[in-house]
Structure formats: C-alpha cells, structure tokens
PDB file of all heavy atoms in Angstrom:
ATOM      1  N   ALA A 654       0.857  -1.205  -0.013  1.00 95.00           N
ATOM      2  CA  ALA A 654      -0.018  -0.010   0.010  1.00 95.00           C
ATOM      3  C   ALA A 654       0.888   1.226  -0.004  1.00 95.00           C
ATOM      4  O   ALA A 654       0.603   2.207  -0.742  1.00 95.00           O
ATOM      5  CB  ALA A 654      -0.911  -0.009   1.240  1.00 95.00           C
ATOM      6  N   ALA A 655       1.911   1.282   0.859  1.00 96.00           N
ATOM      7  CA  ALA A 655       2.752   2.428   0.932  1.00 96.00           C
ATOM      8  C   ALA A 655       3.493   2.728  -0.391  1.00 96.00           C
ATOM      9  O   ALA A 655       3.624   3.855  -0.835  1.00 96.00           O
ATOM     10  CB  ALA A 655       3.772   2.273   2.047  1.00 96.00           C
ATOM     11  N   VAL A 656       3.955   1.635  -1.042  1.00 97.00           N
ATOM     12  CA  VAL A 656       4.619   1.795  -2.336  1.00 97.00           C
ATOM     13  C   VAL A 656       3.650   2.361  -3.389  1.00 97.00           C
ATOM     14  O   VAL A 656       4.019   3.323  -4.126  1.00 97.00           O
ATOM     15  CB  VAL A 656       5.185   0.456  -2.833  1.00 97.00           C
ATOM     16  CG1 VAL A 656       5.633   0.549  -4.293  1.00 97.00           C
ATOM     17  CG2 VAL A 656       6.333   0.026  -1.922  1.00 97.00           C
ATOM     18  N   ARG A 657       2.451   1.909  -3.419  1.00 98.00           N
ATOM     19  CA  ARG A 657       1.467   2.413  -4.402  1.00 98.00           C
ATOM     20  C   ARG A 657       1.066   3.851  -4.088  1.00 98.00           C
ATOM     21  O   ARG A 657       0.919   4.623  -5.038  1.00 98.00           O
ATOM     22  CB  ARG A 657       0.283   1.452  -4.457  1.00 98.00           C
ATOM     23  CG  ARG A 657       0.602   0.121  -5.167  1.00 98.00           C
ATOM     24  CD  ARG A 657      -0.573  -0.802  -5.174  1.00 98.00           C
ATOM     25  NE  ARG A 657      -1.739  -0.290  -5.852  1.00 98.00           N
ATOM     26  CZ  ARG A 657      -2.873  -1.010  -6.070  1.00 98.00           C
ATOM     27  NH1 ARG A 657      -2.942  -2.261  -5.735  1.00 98.00           N
ATOM     28  NH2 ARG A 657      -3.884  -0.444  -6.722  1.00 98.00           N
ATOM     29  N   LEU A 658       0.902   4.152  -2.825  1.00 98.00           N
ATOM     30  CA  LEU A 658       0.573   5.530  -2.430  1.00 98.00           C
ATOM     31  C   LEU A 658       1.668   6.492  -2.885  1.00 98.00           C
ATOM     32  O   LEU A 658       1.405   7.559  -3.436  1.00 98.00           O
ATOM     33  CB  LEU A 658       0.327   5.646  -0.929  1.00 98.00           C
ATOM     34  CG  LEU A 658      -0.939   4.985  -0.353  1.00 98.00           C
ATOM     35  CD1 LEU A 658      -0.830   4.964   1.171  1.00 98.00           C
ATOM     36  CD2 LEU A 658      -2.179   5.717  -0.830  1.00 98.00           C
ATOM     37  N   ALA A 659       2.913   6.086  -2.593  1.00 98.00           N
ATOM     38  CA  ALA A 659       4.055   6.971  -2.901  1.00 98.00           C
ATOM     39  C   ALA A 659       4.190   7.134  -4.403  1.00 98.00           C
ATOM     40  O   ALA A 659       4.433   8.271  -4.871  1.00 98.00           O
ATOM     41  CB  ALA A 659       5.324   6.372  -2.330  1.00 98.00           C
ATOM     42  N   ASN A 660       4.045   6.053  -5.211  1.00 98.00           N
ATOM     43  CA  ASN A 660       4.143   6.189  -6.639  1.00 98.00           C
ATOM     44  C   ASN A 660       3.083   7.050  -7.247  1.00 98.00           C
ATOM     45  O   ASN A 660       3.284   7.779  -8.210  1.00 98.00           O
ATOM     46  CB  ASN A 660       4.140   4.805  -7.277  1.00 98.00           C
ATOM     47  CG  ASN A 660       5.426   4.050  -7.101  1.00 98.00           C
ATOM     48  OD1 ASN A 660       6.496   4.653  -7.145  1.00 98.00           O
ATOM     49  ND2 ASN A 660       5.371   2.734  -6.913  1.00 98.00           N
ATOM     50  N   ALA A 661       1.879   7.008  -6.598  1.00 98.00           N
ATOM     51  CA  ALA A 661       0.764   7.836  -7.096  1.00 98.00           C
ATOM     52  C   ALA A 661       1.011   9.321  -6.845  1.00 98.00           C
ATOM     53  O   ALA A 661       0.634  10.196  -7.636  1.00 98.00           O
ATOM     54  CB  ALA A 661      -0.526   7.388  -6.476  1.00 98.00           C
ATOM     55  N   ALA A 662       1.610   9.629  -5.710  1.00 98.00           N
ATOM     56  CA  ALA A 662       1.763  11.012  -5.270  1.00 98.00           C
ATOM     57  C   ALA A 662       3.003  11.749  -5.714  1.00 98.00           C
ATOM     58  O   ALA A 662       3.044  12.999  -5.890  1.00 98.00           O
ATOM     59  CB  ALA A 662       1.704  11.089  -3.754  1.00 98.00           C
ATOM     60  N   ALA A 663       4.086  10.982  -5.963  1.00 98.00           N
ATOM     61  CA  ALA A 663       5.394  11.625  -6.224  1.00 98.00           C
ATOM     62  C   ALA A 663       5.508  12.086  -7.699  1.00 98.00           C
ATOM     63  O   ALA A 663       5.131  11.377  -8.630  1.00 98.00           O
ATOM     64  CB  ALA A 663       6.517  10.623  -5.965  1.00 98.00           C
ATOM     65  N   GLY A 664       5.989  13.272  -7.822  1.00 98.00           N
ATOM     66  CA  GLY A 664       6.228  13.818  -9.150  1.00 98.00           C
ATOM     67  C   GLY A 664       7.718  14.057  -9.409  1.00 98.00           C
ATOM     68  O   GLY A 664       8.567  13.423  -8.777  1.00 98.00           O
ATOM     69  N   ALA A 665       8.049  14.937 -10.338  1.00 98.00           N
ATOM     70  CA  ALA A 665       9.432  15.172 -10.703  1.00 98.00           C
ATOM     71  C   ALA A 665      10.263  15.681  -9.515  1.00 98.00           C
ATOM     72  O   ALA A 665       9.734  16.371  -8.641  1.00 98.00           O
ATOM     73  CB  ALA A 665       9.519  16.219 -11.814  1.00 98.00           C
ATOM     74  N   GLY A 666      11.510  15.222  -9.496  1.00 98.00           N
ATOM     75  CA  GLY A 666      12.390  15.680  -8.407  1.00 98.00           C
ATOM     76  C   GLY A 666      12.260  14.971  -7.095  1.00 98.00           C
ATOM     77  O   GLY A 666      12.834  15.361  -6.087  1.00 98.00           O
ATOM     78  N   ILE A 667      11.520  13.917  -7.086  1.00 98.00           N
ATOM     79  CA  ILE A 667      11.274  13.081  -5.841  1.00 98.00           C
ATOM     80  C   ILE A 667      11.798  11.690  -6.096  1.00 98.00           C
ATOM     81  O   ILE A 667      11.544  11.060  -7.129  1.00 98.00           O
ATOM     82  CB  ILE A 667       9.777  13.005  -5.533  1.00 98.00           C
ATOM     83  CG1 ILE A 667       9.121  14.353  -5.303  1.00 98.00           C
ATOM     84  CG2 ILE A 667       9.559  12.085  -4.342  1.00 98.00           C
ATOM     85  CD1 ILE A 667       9.487  15.008  -4.001  1.00 98.00           C
ATOM     86  N   GLU A 668      12.579  11.194  -5.122  1.00 98.00           N
ATOM     87  CA  GLU A 668      12.962   9.774  -5.152  1.00 98.00           C
ATOM     88  C   GLU A 668      12.371   9.107  -3.936  1.00 98.00           C
ATOM     89  O   GLU A 668      12.251   9.727  -2.831  1.00 98.00           O
ATOM     90  CB  GLU A 668      14.465   9.593  -5.189  1.00 98.00           C
ATOM     91  CG  GLU A 668      15.244  10.263  -4.067  1.00 98.00           C
ATOM     92  CD  GLU A 668      16.767  10.158  -4.300  1.00 98.00           C
ATOM     93  OE1 GLU A 668      17.181   9.616  -5.372  1.00 98.00           O
ATOM     94  OE2 GLU A 668      17.524  10.582  -3.426  1.00 98.00           O
ATOM     95  N   LEU A 669      12.059   7.860  -4.096  1.00 98.00           N
ATOM     96  CA  LEU A 669      11.313   7.087  -3.013  1.00 98.00           C
ATOM     97  C   LEU A 669      12.217   6.057  -2.420  1.00 98.00           C
ATOM     98  O   LEU A 669      13.039   5.400  -3.105  1.00 98.00           O
ATOM     99  CB  LEU A 669      10.076   6.439  -3.604  1.00 98.00           C
ATOM    100  CG  LEU A 669       9.077   7.428  -4.295  1.00 98.00           C
ATOM    101  CD1 LEU A 669       7.959   6.584  -4.954  1.00 98.00           C
ATOM    102  CD2 LEU A 669       8.493   8.393  -3.287  1.00 98.00           C
ATOM    103  N   THR A 670      12.028   5.825  -1.084  1.00 97.00           N
ATOM    104  CA  THR A 670      12.794   4.763  -0.433  1.00 97.00           C
ATOM    105  C   THR A 670      12.024   3.448  -0.508  1.00 97.00           C
ATOM    106  O   THR A 670      10.832   3.462  -0.862  1.00 97.00           O
ATOM    107  CB  THR A 670      12.996   5.129   1.054  1.00 97.00           C
ATOM    108  OG1 THR A 670      11.717   5.133   1.727  1.00 97.00           O
ATOM    109  CG2 THR A 670      13.653   6.473   1.207  1.00 97.00           C
ATOM    110  N   GLU A 671      12.694   2.428  -0.160  1.00 93.00           N
ATOM    111  CA  GLU A 671      11.999   1.127   0.018  1.00 93.00           C
ATOM    112  C   GLU A 671      11.171   1.206   1.237  1.00 93.00           C
ATOM    113  O   GLU A 671      11.437   1.939   2.176  1.00 93.00           O
ATOM    114  CB  GLU A 671      13.012  -0.013   0.124  1.00 93.00           C
ATOM    115  CG  GLU A 671      13.869  -0.282  -1.139  1.00 93.00           C
ATOM    116  CD  GLU A 671      12.979  -0.771  -2.262  1.00 93.00           C
ATOM    117  OE1 GLU A 671      12.071  -1.555  -2.028  1.00 93.00           O
ATOM    118  OE2 GLU A 671      13.228  -0.311  -3.434  1.00 93.00           O
ATOM    119  N   PRO A 672      10.057   0.443   1.255  1.00 91.00           N
ATOM    120  CA  PRO A 672       9.223   0.502   2.501  1.00 91.00           C
ATOM    121  C   PRO A 672       9.963  -0.054   3.703  1.00 91.00           C
ATOM    122  O   PRO A 672      10.691  -1.016   3.606  1.00 91.00           O
ATOM    123  CB  PRO A 672       8.028  -0.409   2.109  1.00 91.00           C
ATOM    124  CG  PRO A 672       8.519  -1.286   0.995  1.00 91.00           C
ATOM    125  CD  PRO A 672       9.507  -0.434   0.249  1.00 91.00           C
ATOM    126  N   ALA A 673       9.783   0.611   4.825  1.00 87.00           N
ATOM    127  CA  ALA A 673      10.387   0.215   6.102  1.00 87.00           C
ATOM    128  C   ALA A 673       9.370   0.439   7.153  1.00 87.00           C
ATOM    129  O   ALA A 673       8.847   1.555   7.308  1.00 87.00           O
ATOM    130  CB  ALA A 673      11.643   1.006   6.377  1.00 87.00           C
ATOM    131  N   GLU A 674       9.032  -0.585   7.937  1.00 84.00           N
ATOM    132  CA  GLU A 674       7.993  -0.504   8.929  1.00 84.00           C
ATOM    133  C   GLU A 674       6.723   0.052   8.372  1.00 84.00           C
ATOM    134  O   GLU A 674       5.989   0.790   9.004  1.00 84.00           O
ATOM    135  CB  GLU A 674       8.468   0.384  10.123  1.00 84.00           C
ATOM    136  CG  GLU A 674       9.748  -0.119  10.773  1.00 84.00           C
ATOM    137  CD  GLU A 674      10.234   0.823  11.876  1.00 84.00           C
ATOM    138  OE1 GLU A 674       9.618   0.829  12.915  1.00 84.00           O
ATOM    139  OE2 GLU A 674      11.210   1.556  11.599  1.00 84.00           O
ATOM    140  N   GLY A 675       6.411  -0.352   7.137  1.00 89.00           N
ATOM    141  CA  GLY A 675       5.150   0.017   6.486  1.00 89.00           C
ATOM    142  C   GLY A 675       5.163   1.441   5.921  1.00 89.00           C
ATOM    143  O   GLY A 675       4.135   1.871   5.402  1.00 89.00           O
ATOM    144  N   LYS A 676       6.324   2.145   5.910  1.00 95.00           N
ATOM    145  CA  LYS A 676       6.370   3.539   5.463  1.00 95.00           C
ATOM    146  C   LYS A 676       7.321   3.662   4.286  1.00 95.00           C
ATOM    147  O   LYS A 676       8.340   3.095   4.297  1.00 95.00           O
ATOM    148  CB  LYS A 676       6.763   4.450   6.601  1.00 95.00           C
ATOM    149  CG  LYS A 676       6.896   5.924   6.245  1.00 95.00           C
ATOM    150  CD  LYS A 676       7.445   6.752   7.381  1.00 95.00           C
ATOM    151  CE  LYS A 676       8.933   6.515   7.543  1.00 95.00           C
ATOM    152  NZ  LYS A 676       9.505   7.373   8.571  1.00 95.00           N
ATOM    153  N   VAL A 677       6.942   4.547   3.335  1.00 98.00           N
ATOM    154  CA  VAL A 677       7.808   4.939   2.268  1.00 98.00           C
ATOM    155  C   VAL A 677       8.113   6.429   2.419  1.00 98.00           C
ATOM    156  O   VAL A 677       7.193   7.214   2.640  1.00 98.00           O
ATOM    157  CB  VAL A 677       7.193   4.660   0.886  1.00 98.00           C
ATOM    158  CG1 VAL A 677       8.004   5.317  -0.248  1.00 98.00           C
ATOM    159  CG2 VAL A 677       7.120   3.138   0.598  1.00 98.00           C
ATOM    160  N   SER A 678       9.370   6.768   2.305  1.00 98.00           N
ATOM    161  CA  SER A 678       9.778   8.205   2.436  1.00 98.00           C
ATOM    162  C   SER A 678      10.061   8.804   1.063  1.00 98.00           C
ATOM    163  O   SER A 678      10.524   8.115   0.107  1.00 98.00           O
ATOM    164  CB  SER A 678      11.052   8.337   3.302  1.00 98.00           C
ATOM    165  OG  SER A 678      10.791   7.906   4.641  1.00 98.00           O
ATOM    166  N   PHE A 679       9.760  10.111   0.981  1.00 98.00           N
ATOM    167  CA  PHE A 679      10.009  10.884  -0.234  1.00 98.00           C
ATOM    168  C   PHE A 679      11.202  11.782   0.006  1.00 98.00           C
ATOM    169  O   PHE A 679      11.240  12.502   1.038  1.00 98.00           O
ATOM    170  CB  PHE A 679       8.829  11.819  -0.573  1.00 98.00           C
ATOM    171  CG  PHE A 679       7.517  11.144  -0.786  1.00 98.00           C
ATOM    172  CD1 PHE A 679       6.903  10.374   0.158  1.00 98.00           C
ATOM    173  CD2 PHE A 679       6.826  11.397  -1.999  1.00 98.00           C
ATOM    174  CE1 PHE A 679       5.666   9.803  -0.020  1.00 98.00           C
ATOM    175  CE2 PHE A 679       5.581  10.804  -2.224  1.00 98.00           C
ATOM    176  CZ  PHE A 679       4.979  10.038  -1.235  1.00 98.00           C
ATOM    177  N   LYS A 680      12.222  11.762  -0.904  1.00 98.00           N
ATOM    178  CA  LYS A 680      13.381  12.632  -0.726  1.00 98.00           C
ATOM    179  C   LYS A 680      13.621  13.435  -1.993  1.00 98.00           C
ATOM    180  O   LYS A 680      13.307  13.007  -3.063  1.00 98.00           O
ATOM    181  CB  LYS A 680      14.604  11.771  -0.408  1.00 98.00           C
ATOM    182  CG  LYS A 680      14.520  11.062   0.943  1.00 98.00           C
ATOM    183  CD  LYS A 680      15.798  10.393   1.339  1.00 98.00           C
ATOM    184  CE  LYS A 680      15.700   9.741   2.748  1.00 98.00           C
ATOM    185  NZ  LYS A 680      16.971   9.098   3.140  1.00 98.00           N
ATOM    186  N   ALA A 681      14.186  14.644  -1.792  1.00 98.00           N
ATOM    187  CA  ALA A 681      14.445  15.513  -2.907  1.00 98.00           C
ATOM    188  C   ALA A 681      15.638  14.958  -3.733  1.00 98.00           C
ATOM    189  O   ALA A 681      16.669  14.604  -3.149  1.00 98.00           O
ATOM    190  CB  ALA A 681      14.746  16.926  -2.382  1.00 98.00           C
TER     191      ALA A 681
END
C-alpha cells in the first residue's frame, strides 16, 4: 500500500525509499 501511495503522489524531483515498517519516504 505504501509503495502504491508513494508512486501515485510523487512527481518530478522526488525519489522514493524502499518500504520500512510500513512507510515509504520521499526525498528531494
């Protein structure tokens, strides 16, 4: 769920982490 949410929300200039403890982080 976290991976799909992150992929849906992230645009240009954002990189995503692997899920950890159910959370995905967005980084510049």
Side-chain angles (χ1 to χ4, degrees):
V656 169
R657 288 178 58 174
L658 290 170
N660 284 326
I667 301 284
E668 57 185 6
L669 304 174
T670 66
E671 293 295 320
E674 301 176 76
K676 179 185 74 176
V677 169
S678 296
F679 300 58
K680 294 186 176 182

